[in-house]
Structures are given as C-alpha cells and as structure tokens.
Amino acid sequence: MNLSKVADLDVTNKKVLVRADLDVDVTETYRLEALLPTLKYLSSKSSKIILIGHRGRPEGKVAEELKMKPVENELRKIASGISFEVLENLRFDPGEEANNFEYAKKLALLGDVYVNEAFASSHRDAASITSLPKLLPHAAGIRFVEEVNNLSKVFDNPKRPVLFVVGGSKKDKLDYIEGLKTIADKILVGGRLPEYYGDKALESVRVAGSEDKLIIANLIMDKEDITIHSIEKFEEEIKKAGTIVLAGPMGKYEDKGHRQGTERIFNAVAGSSAFKITGGGDSLSVLSIYKLKDKFDWVSVGGGAMLEFLAKKTLPGIKALESANLNKEGG
C-alpha cells in the first residue's frame, strides 16, 4: 500500500493534526493506549500535537454527555509528560459526518500536517478522515500502519483453514460476510446475527449456501446467547483452524447469565495455536473480563473497520491517504 508513514513527514516544530480514535468508554483504555507510539514520536520532534476525533452520535448538535473532557482527562493520565490539546467532538458540527469540504478546510487551518491514527474510524467517509488528507501533508500513524500490516496477514498467504467468528448484534456486520467469503474457509455466525437469517436459524445449527462456508448458530429461548450445541459445533471448527478472526461476542455477555457462549468461544480461540486476531469495542471488553488480551497475536482497535478492511482490503481512510499521495507524486 502506498501509505506515507509519520517518519516520512517533516513534523519538527510543526502543528500536527492527529485524527484519533477517541470514541471510547474511559473504563476501557486500549484505544487510547494505542495512540502512545505516535504521540511519543511527535513529542520527540517538538511537534505541537492537536488531537481531533468524535464521540457517539450527536447528529451535528452539542450533547453535554458526549463532550471530550472525560476522554481527554483519561488520555492525560496515560500519556503523562506529553503535551497535546484535544479539540471538541467533531460530530458536534454536521460538516464532519456530511464530509463537508468547507468544514475540512476549517480544520486544515489549525495544523501544518495531518496524521491519521484513527483506524477504527477509517471506514467512515467523514471530513476528518477522507477530506483532510487532500489539504495537508499527511501520513498514517504508527499504530495505523501496524493495523494494516497485521490484518493483511489474514489474506496475504495465510495459514489455512481461515476461520471467521462473527458475533455481536449490529446488522451491518452482515454486509461484510459476502466479502469475507472470498478469503474464508468457514464463517461462524453467532450473537444476535442468526435472527437475520430467518426462523430456521433459531431451530438448528445449519450450513448455509452451496459452498458450505457459513455455519449459523441457533439461539436459546430468550435469544441472548447461543445454544450448547452451537458452542460445541463452533469449538470443533476452531480446533481445525490455522488463522482465526474473532469479531464480537456470542451473546449478552454483560449479563452473567448469558456469558456461556462468549466465554467458551473466546477461550477456545485464545487457546488455539492458530494465528488469531480480534477487535472492536465489545471484543475488547470481553478480553478484559477474561484477561485474554495477551493470548491473541493481534488485537485491533477496530470492529467494523477491521471487518471492512478484511472484506475489501482497503478503507475510505486508506484510499484517501493513498490517492493524496498519488496526486502529490503525479504533480
């Protein structure tokens, strides 16, 4: 990929706009910790660091509960000794989500260079993700480059079989499954997602599609977990895998009475000798509950972004950095 790295940029004594993943629950600081390598590097170059990002979905209006101050306070504890400022929630302005170019120009006036360190948000076509690289010298952050390199191992000569375990409740995950079929040997579908495959998905574990790649769990009566039979079928597939991508819990893990599927599947993957990756907010929370973070080869800051990158081998944020580089080289 034609991605410029931070080390390729002249950032010494420059004002650096860093697009960061700040949409976090301050009790789970993994995404904030992932910023540290880039912040330390910029600090070593005497850069003036200006962090920009969003929280939640305020829909272009100011929402008190989605202000940046709590996240800033937590980041100052993690990045003590590093000077930076944090701008207010970008989504308080409708121009961010609308990818308004005039809004991007206003942001660009605040910095000399731009660094994208927001992999988890780079599947969004937003002003701070896809328009800012057109306006300033730019690069991908240190963690961003690591995300691309590690996730690429899933489709670049992977150890087979390649297995995806997709859970959670967000229907948009289904949009990625067709793309994932091109690289997966098997895709296990759990969480609340089996509901979207129709009533049969709730009756028995079944293989869907002529290529037999999709294995859909069935759910317990209240639909808040997958059944024992589904757990056992998933565990069988996990034992065979050479590469595993785990994206989302198998049930309502926040409720101790509905943790069985999530606990057993996450532990089965963690105990596998396969090359294994997980990512996304809920997955990070599960890793914290069961202290499994060190058992994975890579823990992505992205959930939807991770799946979209694996399905499409790029993201809007990556395309923006690449096309801006090509334009620069061509001119």
Side-chain angles (χ1 to χ4, degrees):
M1 288 186 178
N2 190 39
L3 285 177
S4 291
K5 300 177 176 66
V6 176
D8 301 328
L9 275 182
D10 177 12
V11 296
T12 304
N13 297 314
K14 297 283 181 72
K15 291 183 289 183
V16 183
L17 277 177
V18 180
R19 179 50 164 102
D21 285 320
L22 303 177
D23 189 16
V24 300
D25 174 350
V26 293
T27 62
E28 175 47 71
T29 58
Y30 187 72
R31 283 180 175 174
L32 299 182
E33 290 161 8
L35 294 171
L36 284 177
T38 290
L39 296 184
K40 287 176 179 175
Y41 177 79
L42 294 174
S43 180
S44 75
K45 298 293 184 180
S46 303
S47 305
K48 183 186 178 186
I49 302 167
I50 304 163
L51 289 162
I52 57 174
H54 75 270
R55 286 187 77 199
R57 299 180 182 274
E59 299 180 351
K61 298 170 186 170
V62 176
E64 198 65 34
E65 69 278 10
L66 294 176
K67 286 192 170 180
M68 280 297 174
K69 199 63 184 173
V71 176
E72 179 183 347
N73 291 342
E74 195 61 36
L75 185 56
R76 291 202 183 281
K77 293 178 198 171
I78 293 167
S80 61
I82 299 175
S83 296
F84 57 85
E85 70 173 294
V86 180
L87 299 192
E88 193 46 274
N89 192 337
L90 296 179
R91 287 187 177 176
F92 286 174
D93 190 304
E96 167 66 358
E97 288 195 272
N99 195 9
N100 181 285
F101 202 64
E102 293 305 311
Y103 176 65
K105 284 180 180 177
K106 289 180 185 175
L107 291 176
L109 291 173
L110 302 173
D112 302 312
V113 296
Y114 167 83
V115 173
N116 186 344
E117 193 55 290
F119 182 84
S121 302
S122 285
H123 59 322
R124 308 291 185 200
D125 194 19
S128 64
I129 297 288
T130 57
S131 288
L132 264 179
K134 298 171 184 174
L135 298 166
L136 293 170
H138 57 272
I142 293 170
R143 172 65 185 222
F144 194 113
V145 172
E146 289 180 348
E147 288 276 0
V148 169
N149 290 343
N150 279 283
L151 294 178
S152 295
K153 293 174 184 176
V154 176
F155 54 74
D156 186 8
N157 195 28
K159 183 182 175 188
R160 293 196 176 274
V162 175
L163 176 72
F164 283 81
V165 187
V166 184
S169 59
K170 293 179 181 175
K171 190 178 181 181
D172 60 2
K173 284 188 174 179
L174 302 183
D175 299 337
Y176 303 128
I177 284 177
E178 279 306 310
L180 296 177
K181 283 180 182 178
T182 63
I183 55 173
D185 294 292
K186 283 280 193 297
I187 303 173
L188 312 181
V189 181
R192 289 301 282 266
L193 302 180
E195 280 195 280
Y196 300 114
Y197 286 91
D199 292 341
K200 285 184 181 177
L202 307 182
E203 293 167 11
S204 62
V205 182
R206 63 191 173 120
V207 174
S210 57
E211 71 285 89
D212 293 348
K213 285 190 175 183
L214 212 56
I215 300 177
I216 301 169
N218 63 307
L219 308 179
I220 63 174
M221 287 296 289
D222 66 6
K223 301 181 182 179
E224 300 290 9
D225 202 355
I226 62 174
T227 64
I228 290 288
H229 181 49
S230 300
I231 292 169
E232 290 171 349
K233 178 64 177 170
F234 281 19
E235 286 172 337
E236 283 175 26
E237 295 296 334
I238 289 164
K239 283 177 186 173
K240 301 175 197 170
T243 300
I244 304 173
V245 179
L246 175 55
M250 296 296 105
K252 192 178 179 183
Y253 69 93
E254 304 95 324
D255 176 356
K256 289 184 179 179
H258 292 105
R259 279 186 181 176
Q260 183 172 226
T262 299
E263 181 177 5
R264 281 184 57 174
I265 297 309
F266 269 73
N267 274 299
V269 174
S272 164
S273 59
F275 175 74
K276 44 196 179 284
I277 285 174
T278 188
D282 284 322
S283 295
L284 287 170
S285 296
V286 175
L287 295 187
S288 293
I289 291 169
Y290 297 113
K291 297 180 173 54
L292 297 175
K293 209 169 283 180
D294 294 341
K295 304 288 187 183
F296 285 77
D297 295 282
W298 185 249
V299 179
S300 177
V301 294
M306 174 183 76
L307 287 178
E308 182 164 328
F309 177 76
L310 293 172
K312 299 180 179 179
K313 301 182 177 61
T314 190
L315 294 172
I318 292 172
K319 285 182 181 176
L321 293 172
E322 288 184 311
S323 62
N325 280 339
L326 291 171
N327 291 339
K328 182 176 66 179
E329 289 165 10

